[in-house]
Amino acid sequence: MSESKPLYIYNSLSGKKEVFEAINPPFVGLYSCGPTVYSDVHLGNVRTFLTFDIVYRYLSYLGYNVRYVRNITDVGHLLDDSDDGDDKIETRARLEKIEPMEIVQKYTNGFHDTVKTFNLIPPSIEPTATGHIIEQIEMVERILANGYAYEVNGSVYFDVKKYAEKYNYGELSGRKIEDQLEQTRDSLEGGNEKRFFADFAIWKKASKETIMKWPSPWGDGVPGWHLECSVMSTKYLGQQFDIHGGGMDLKFPHHECEIAQSVGADGVNPVKYWMHGNMLTVNGTKMSKSLGNSFLPHELISGDHELLDKGYSPMTIRFFFLQANYRSTVDFSNEALQAAEKGFKRLMNAIELLQNLPKSDKSSIDINKLIQNSNQSMNDDFNTPVTIAYLFDGVKMINSINDGKEEISEADLTVLQKFYNDFVFNILGLQSETSDSKSNNVLENVMDVVLKLRSQAKENKDWSTADLIRDELKSLNITIKDSKDTSTWDYE
RNA sequence: GGUUCCGUGGCCGAGUGGCUAGGCAGUGCUCUGCAAAAGCAUCUACAUCAGUUCGAAUCUGAUCGGAACCUCCA
């Protein structure tokens, strides 16, 4: 199984696919921006986390020792950059009349449940912003010491103009400060503390009412929006690490600011490969909390949502996402989900067949090509839709072998079984869902009896009894599948 | 207004300068007491207009349409 081509990653920094070369092989540092835990994560969030789950899984499969860091933002980003900026978590806490940390705990728990439902592997480290206040203050101090920040009134702002004299502010997002200047000048009026419109807070003075605040050299306050990721990524992965991921919407300003902060503090560009996952859309517009068009995972699973005809299982949803490239938007629709549901079922059925395929002396099919293609598509910037297409080619092979139209040798079968196990379960992270509902041994045994009775009825040409059993089971959401001489069943 | 990206068959979605993924739906067939399920086969495409080229859906330009970011958001 030789990989003729190395892994390529689309680097947002260069806008090109680049050969992936780890900074310190076999180790790889992977950082992904996690959720702000002030409300439930929605499906769009899940998609991004899934993207980096695939990255994590595939790099691990390739033999890298990956340290995966995904943060929890538990001090709310300021609602806006004005002086009366408020904190999302605190706002929510007031709304729900509970402690801010209770909010944090509640939605962190919810996030963990969700992520588990979709079979995402937990990160190696899941640091919280509040757990790294000291480091954040230290970073502010370093930036100040280097002259790339200034203090006003207990708040500290990053000096973008100064930074831009020496470095390229906008290298990631492709933005030029001059381009934005004209548009924003109007909104600069009023008592803004910032010297320059593009400056951003790295430490923000807290008002008297603020509950969550920390002492600092500049008085009580809270860390700025972008600081935590800079601090936690470099703390656990080093001043320069391999991959930083996040949603497309974080590219600017969040990630741009992260670069500026790290360079401003330590003079080092922190990230070698930036990866950005694209958005999940509904009717063509981005799914987002503020637009009110978001789906909560449990709504999708239960089907309890006005835009849904029915519910879809977590693995169906996972499969649905993986059928699109992570760099493309995915539009959400019932039809697409239904297609994914059936396709996923077809794939899983074939994998079940694969376990007991008839063996022959030699193979009439070329599984090496299949395996090589699959590896190569994953190496091509984690191209899961193409990989899945190859997996379906394999499905066709498996079914043909099962029908006796093609043959496979014992050695090849072992290889093929391992291949599907690796790709479907380990890399794509899918898991069988039927086995869950069949895990009930009692039900399984009872069904065996029922099917036996029905077979007997069929042998006696007692069609009415046979059909009665079939219809009654149907109303219990159990589908009987008749084949030549055996019957199987499936739970809907 | 600025920046970036996209426009593929009934639907979802890959990809490439010539050999036209894959899934779903449709159609035909096989299996079958019937049905379902399952399997096999098969059809329809590259927004519009111009240009480059022996050849473009793939490159260039224009037009139309859509999206994201520029303000918290994965």
Side-chain angles (χ1 to χ4, degrees), chain A residues 20 73 83 95 165 202 216 219 247 270 285 332 334 348 357 380 393 405 408 422 429:
Chain A
F20 177 73
T73 298
D83 292 338
L95 220 62
E165 283 169 13
I202 51 180
S216 79
T285 18
F332 188 88
N334 276 292
M348 293 319 265
L357 232 39
D380 181 17
D393 285 348
K405 288 175 188 159
I408 190 165
D422 282 345

Side-chain angles (χ1 to χ4, degrees), chain A residues 102-117:
Chain A
E102 234 173 315
I103 295 289
V104 164
Q105 191 63 57
K106 178 177 167 183
Y107 292 111
T108 301
N109 290 345
F111 169 63
H112 285 152
D113 287 347
T114 298
V115 130
K116 199 175 172 192
T117 306

Side-chain angles (χ1 to χ4, degrees), chain A residues 364-382:
Chain A
S364 60
I365 51 163
D366 185 1
I367 63 164
N368 290 323
K369 187 82 188 157
L370 173 71
I371 292 169
Q372 207 184 354
N373 284 339
S374 304
N375 274 298
Q376 238 161 63
S377 55
M378 283 307 288
N379 278 342
D380 181 17
D381 194 33
F382 311 95

Side-chain angles (χ1 to χ4, degrees), chain A residues 282-469:
Chain A
V282 182
N283 294 325
T285 18
K286 175 182 173 181
M287 180 181 286
S288 79
K289 286 175 191 172
S290 41
L291 287 175
N293 64 349
S294 54
F295 282 80
L296 265 25
H298 74 260
E299 290 172 335
L300 190 55
I301 294 163
S302 68
D304 185 18
H305 191 285
E306 53 175 4
L307 287 174
L308 289 176
D309 296 343
K310 52 170 284 209
Y312 298 93
S313 73
M315 284 306 115
T316 297
I317 297 159
R318 184 170 174 121
F319 183 75
F320 166 69
F321 283 147
L322 293 177
Q323 270 190 309
N325 192 293
Y326 78 93
R327 286 194 287 122
S328 315
T329 55
V330 165
D331 197 59
F332 188 88
S333 71
N334 276 292
E335 296 74 34
L337 244 359
Q338 255 157 44
E341 185 174 55
K342 294 209 174 169
F344 175 61
K345 215 167 181 178
R346 193 160 115 89
L347 178 63
M348 293 319 265
N349 282 158
I351 290 174
E352 232 176 282
L353 281 178
L354 181 61
Q355 307 317 313
N356 300 301
L357 232 39
K359 298 165 204 122
S360 304
D361 293 338
K362 55 181 175 46
S363 296
S364 60
I365 51 163
D366 185 1
I367 63 164
N368 290 323
K369 187 82 188 157
L370 173 71
I371 292 169
Q372 207 184 354
N373 284 339
S374 304
N375 274 298
Q376 238 161 63
S377 55
M378 283 307 288
N379 278 342
D380 181 17
D381 194 33
F382 311 95
N383 198 335
T384 53
V386 171
T387 305
I388 289 173
Y390 287 127
L391 289 174
F392 275 109
D393 285 348
V395 166
K396 209 161 276 183
M397 287 180 193
I398 292 167
N399 288 330
S400 296
I401 294 165
N402 191 240
D403 285 355
K405 288 175 188 159
E406 302 280 0
E407 301 185 321
I408 190 165
S409 69
E410 186 164 359
D412 275 358
L413 180 60
T414 309
V415 173
L416 196 63
Q417 285 167 342
K418 183 179 182 316
F419 163 72
Y420 269 87
N421 193 57
D422 282 345
F423 271 71
V424 176
F425 300 120
N426 297 149
I427 295 174
L428 298 181
L430 297 164
Q431 47 192 188
S432 171
E433 288 177 320
T434 47
S435 61
D436 279 1
S437 52
K438 281 191 183 175
S439 60
N440 186 337
N441 272 331
V442 178
L443 177 63
E444 185 105 21
N445 292 336
V446 170
M447 281 307 297
D448 279 351
V449 174
V450 172
L451 288 183
K452 207 169 278 175
L453 286 173
R454 181 160 172 275
S455 294
Q456 225 160 59
K458 281 171 70 179
E459 265 171 48
N460 299 332
K461 298 203 188 305
D462 180 3
W463 307 127
S464 60
T465 304
D467 291 351
L468 179 72
I469 293 174

Side-chain angles (χ1 to χ4, degrees), chain A residues 218-237:
Chain A
W218 318 281
D220 285 359
V222 294
W225 329 341
H226 316 299
L227 201 60
E228 58 172 289
C229 286
S230 287
V231 160
M232 296 189 284
S233 58
T234 50
K235 167 160 182 173
Y236 297 110
L237 300 175

